[in-house]
Amino acid sequence: MTGFLAILRKNRDLFLSDPKGLFLTFLMPVVIASLAGAAFSGMGGGEEGGNGESEARKVPLLVVDEDATPASRKLVDRLAKAKGIEVQVPEGGLAAARDAIRLGKRPAALVIPKGTGEALERGLFAAAFSGRKPKLALLVDPSRQMETGMLRGVLFQEVMAAAAGDLFSAEGGRRMMRTSLEDVEKAGDLLTEEKAQLREAFGLGLQFMERLGDAAPRVRGEGAPGGGPAGAGGMPQPFEIAEEAVTAGGRSNPFQGYSNFAHAFAGMGVMFLLFGVLDGGLLLIRERARGTLARIVASPTPASALLLGEAVWLVGMGVLQLAVMLAVAHLPFFGVRVQGSWAGLALIAVATSAAGAGFGLAIAAFFRTEKAAQGAAILVILVMSALGGSWWPLFITPKPMQDMASWTITKWAVGGLEGALWRGWSLAEIAPSAGILAGMAALLGGIAWARFKFE
Amino acid sequence: MLLARDLAKRYGDRVALDGVSIEARPGEVVGVLGPNGAGKTTLVSILCGLRRPDRGEARIGGEDPAAAPSARARLGVCPQEVAVYPELTAEQNLRFFGGLFGMRGARLAERSRAVLERVGLADRSREPVQKFSGGMRRRLNLAVAMLHEPAALLLDEPTVGVDPQSRSHLFEEVARLRGEGRAVLYTTHYMEEAERLCDRIVVMDLGKIVAQGTLAEILALGGTARRVTVAFADGGAAPDRAALARAAAPAEVLECGPVSVVLSAADPGALLPALLGHLHAAGHAVAGVEVERRTLESVFLKLTGRRLRDE
């Protein structure tokens, strides 16, 4: 035990003797994460980026049809046929949809509440002026702005088309014109002059529809009368989509806990943790080159204590590094909050550090020279960071890359940390990621133990 | 205390050790002398438990150092390279290595002070080792080996690259360790060190022991004859070889030239009066006389046909 403690103390002394190492371990990750978070805060929201991505991969959209009327089903059918999205119906209804978004499995869910079908049937203009607009809810993962931005665009187009669709069938059009005339008469918030103008307009429309008989009108395109935002030129948008960010804050405070810095600090924290443990692995190689390893092995302290001491040290340093990162992220400027389980956060931090320690020790076991180890390990860390979502959100990468990401430490570590931070994951929800990381730690540590040459 | 019996070790096709047996008893300094590649470092690494031999056994106080931590606890190792942490202070280094031997608290502090005093580094104990000179680092290297008061010490070429002052310091320490009753195995390729420090010497080459014994015993292996060289001042004609041989008998004339003559004599002391008298009578002005000193180098050369140090 004295020998084991001596190894820990020695590592502490070595660490503190190097101011450059202190900077790289604690300050550098904060600086990089701040820059990355700031850079990504301008990302998303732009529909162009989202649409560009949709060409490569369909964005999944959960649809919860609480209305279950022919009109609402028609809207779902329209969405299913829309380019760029893949409609999925969650088995567990709204609760399941919420969970899927909160756990980061799906970017968004559309909720079609009761009464939507009726509102749609009333028609575009009736809805616009009666105040009884179809009201849809869009639940979104606020970290996946590119995908949700794209979804907003598609939804607007399809719902608009659904709302206007009946207008352009002969019978539907006549019905809507009549209903609209009735609604104009009932509308209390319209000026007399406006009423007169609308009365004239809908009257002319009705005459036009009756002259057509059962023939459908000729329209440009399949459905929508223009894709631009409704309400332009004075007409209010004929439907509403209430957006809700699904985070730990829930409906009452939908954006509570989320910020782009949450991802940046989690991602960069994990990447720099890996660089930190790499330094620990390199220290073992350095020990061999210096001859201090031989001296340690020639002492009564068992060789296993050396590796165990190094592993415990690396885990401790990793946890400390993440703690410092998260403490800085907690500052008002960054606004990152722990919305999930604190125990889960501790668990994922320890599991991440353990997997990192296993990685560092395995590097030390595979390479005989510091230079070779450094070159190879830096490459592996950068690849893991790119694949596993340290630099950018995983969802923007192609499917094969997402599949490969499952083999990286970074994917499970960043995912688990984000879960504990803003997704509001419970301990049980974090445990699978932590378990996979613990498995990686055991595997890498086992390889290190089997391969490490103490001679 | 420290025993190697019939050790053999190969690295692939290369034989590093072949049937090496050495013993160092308490209060004895045993020198292992040999050129680079002789197998000295492999021998040391087996004796301190770092490697296992292919054949034979190593024992420290009767126990196998590779298997028994208690055997390693009796042993202090001073490796060939300066195996300390340059970023740490001398004190921190000693605290770490002492911890590996189960030392702590007051005893560790007291022993650290004591060994730093012994190697002359007490006033530099709180400076990072990277500020030390090469010689100071070597002394700290030895201090680490002595810290836990081991019964046996392995000193693997401890004076490589050391300044004369530090070398002298290290020699004094080795002598003191012997005086304290510790068994010391001292590897070197400097014959002067082996001659000066060691009670017994083992001469190794290519993984084998080519000679072992006391200094006198080893030197005797080099034969009894020594070279006697007489240099002339005038540079005139060479002496008459036959007359010289008669005057120097039973010594053998090896070279006879106008600048010098070289003879091989079992007893140079008896040869010189007759030889110098003959040369004076023959009119040769003698400028100097050199009698070969029998050394381990010459013995090694005679035994192996190779020099101890790389040319």
Side-chain angles (χ1 to χ4, degrees), chain B residues 52-135:
Chain B
R52 288 182 183 273
D54 300 334
R55 191 186 73 222
E57 57 181 17
R59 292 286 181 268
I60 307 293
E63 292 183 295
D64 178 2
S70 53
R72 298 197 294 272
R74 291 189 201 102
L75 185 66
V77 181
C78 180
Q80 194 168 351
E81 61 273 30
V82 179
V84 295
Y85 298 94
E87 304 91 338
L88 303 185
T89 65
E91 203 173 77
Q92 285 173 323
N93 270 289
L94 289 170
R95 192 174 61 191
F96 167 59
F97 288 110
L100 294 180
F101 283 85
M103 300 170 75
R104 58 184 174 171
R107 182 181 171 234
L108 178 56
E110 185 270 317
R111 281 299 302 157
S112 296
R113 260 195 312 275
V115 290
L116 286 171
E117 286 281 352
R118 274 179 75 154
V119 299
L121 293 173
D123 56 336
R124 310 289 296 269
S125 64
R126 299 203 171 170
E127 282 182 36
V129 174
Q130 57 203 4
K131 290 187 178 175
F132 286 10
S133 69

Side-chain angles (χ1 to χ4, degrees), chain A residues 22-340:
Chain A
L22 283 169
F23 170 77
L24 286 174
T25 303
F26 294 118
L27 195 56
M28 178 88 119
V30 168
V31 171
I32 299 291
S34 305
L35 290 173
F40 275 88
S41 63
M43 191 191 83
E47 286 155 30
E48 286 174 23
N51 285 330
E53 282 303 319
S54 73
E55 292 304 320
R57 187 168 62 85
K58 287 192 169 188
V59 177
L61 173 69
L62 296 172
V63 175
V64 181
D65 185 3
E66 293 179 332
D67 192 43
T69 58
S72 69
R73 277 195 285 273
K74 199 168 167 185
L75 173 60
V76 175
D77 288 344
R78 288 195 71 91
L79 289 170
K81 288 175 191 162
K83 261 177 87 175
I85 64 172
E86 180 188 343
V87 167
Q88 298 171 351
V89 178
E91 282 190 12
L94 181 58
R98 279 187 177 282
D99 274 350
I101 297 168
R102 196 171 54 80
L103 295 172
K105 292 177 179 169
R106 296 289 182 274
L110 178 70
V111 183
I112 305 173
K114 284 194 186 307
T116 305
E118 187 197 346
L120 284 171
E121 280 175 350
R122 293 188 68 81
L124 183 69
F125 299 105
F129 296 105
S130 68
R132 283 176 285 176
K133 300 175 184 179
K135 287 182 181 168
L136 306 172
L138 183 64
L139 312 181
V140 298
D141 178 340
S143 73
R144 301 171 73 164
Q145 293 180 27
M146 285 168 72
E147 284 170 301
T148 51
M150 177 263 184
L151 282 173
R152 277 185 211 106
V154 174
L155 275 178
F156 182 88
Q157 185 176 331
E158 297 303 327
V159 176
M160 190 76 174
D166 272 0
L167 177 66
F168 296 97
S169 72
E171 178 49 37
R174 285 192 289 273
R175 190 175 64 244
M176 262 194 282
M177 289 300 157
R178 287 188 203 102
T179 314
S180 300
L181 277 168
E182 290 166 20
D183 285 340
V184 167
E185 296 306 325
K186 291 176 195 163
D189 54 347
L190 288 174
L191 300 172
T192 310
E193 188 184 342
E194 288 173 334
K195 276 191 177 179
Q197 288 170 349
L198 287 168
R199 201 179 292 127
E200 185 183 349
F202 288 132
L204 285 170
L206 183 59
Q207 286 172 26
F208 174 72
M209 292 292 177
E210 283 172 343
R211 270 209 308 278
L212 276 176
D214 288 338
R218 288 164 295 164
V219 292
R220 287 171 60 207
E222 191 184 335
M235 180 181 283
Q237 183 175 302
F239 59 89
E240 284 178 14
I241 298 180
E243 197 165 302
E244 178 190 336
V246 180
T247 67
R251 196 183 294 272
S252 61
N253 189 2
F255 283 89
Q256 183 185 342
Y258 179 74
S259 84
N260 284 292
F261 290 109
H263 173 77
F265 273 83
M268 293 301 157
V270 172
M271 185 176 80
F272 278 95
L273 180 146
L274 290 173
F275 278 120
V277 295
L278 166 63
D279 208 44
L282 296 180
L283 174 64
L284 275 179
I285 296 175
R286 214 174 301 144
E287 298 255 24
R288 188 187 286 124
R290 279 176 178 169
T292 45
L293 178 67
R295 206 160 210 167
I296 293 167
V297 177
S299 77
T301 296
S304 56
L306 170 67
L307 280 190
L308 187 65
E310 291 295 339
V312 169
W313 168 257
L314 292 179
V315 171
M317 280 305 296
V319 171
L320 181 64
Q321 201 175 359
L322 285 176
V324 169
M325 285 286 284
L326 295 179
V328 174
H330 194 268
L331 294 174
F333 178 77
F334 300 113
V336 178
R337 296 286 179 272
V338 179
Q339 296 298 304

Side-chain angles (χ1 to χ4, degrees), chain B residues 276-290:
Chain B
L276 293 175
H278 169 78
L279 290 171
H280 181 70
H284 294 284
V286 173
V289 177
E290 186 182 312

Side-chain angles (χ1 to χ4, degrees), chain B residues 186-266:
Chain B
Y186 189 105
T187 77
T188 183
H189 62 266
Y190 296 122
M191 58 180 180
E192 304 85 357
E193 291 184 6
E195 286 173 350
R196 177 172 168 180
L197 295 172
C198 302
D199 302 306
R200 287 191 301 118
I201 296 166
V202 176
V203 182
M204 288 183 67
D205 188 42
L206 300 174
K208 288 184 176 176
I209 292 177
V210 293
Q212 67 176 313
T214 62
L215 179 62
E217 287 167 348
I218 301 272
L219 290 178
L221 294 173
T224 53
R226 284 196 275 170
R227 286 162 70 93
V228 176
T229 304
V230 179
F232 302 129
D234 53 7
D240 178 71
R241 188 174 184 120
L244 181 66
R246 279 195 299 276
E252 181 189 356
V253 178
L254 301 176
E255 292 171 25
C256 184
V259 178
S260 64
V261 291
V262 179
L263 300 95
S264 174

Side-chain angles (χ1 to χ4, degrees), chain A residues 351-432:
Chain A
T352 300
S353 302
F359 169 73
L361 295 179
I363 288 292
F366 270 93
F367 295 92
R368 302 289 288 185
T369 69
E370 205 173 332
K371 197 175 173 187
Q374 203 164 24
I378 287 175
L379 182 66
V380 172
I381 291 173
L382 293 180
V383 168
M384 278 205 292
S385 300
L387 274 180
S390 275
W391 294 349
W392 44 65
L394 264 182
F395 66 82
I396 68 169
T397 60
K399 183 78 169 49
M401 282 181 73
Q402 292 188 27
D403 293 341
M404 280 193 282
S406 298
W407 295 95
T408 65
I409 291 172
T410 40
K411 176 190 170 171
W412 304 105
V414 175
L417 285 171
E418 283 196 284
L421 290 177
W422 66 269
R423 289 188 189 279
W425 287 6
S426 65
L427 178 59
E429 286 166 334
I430 292 169

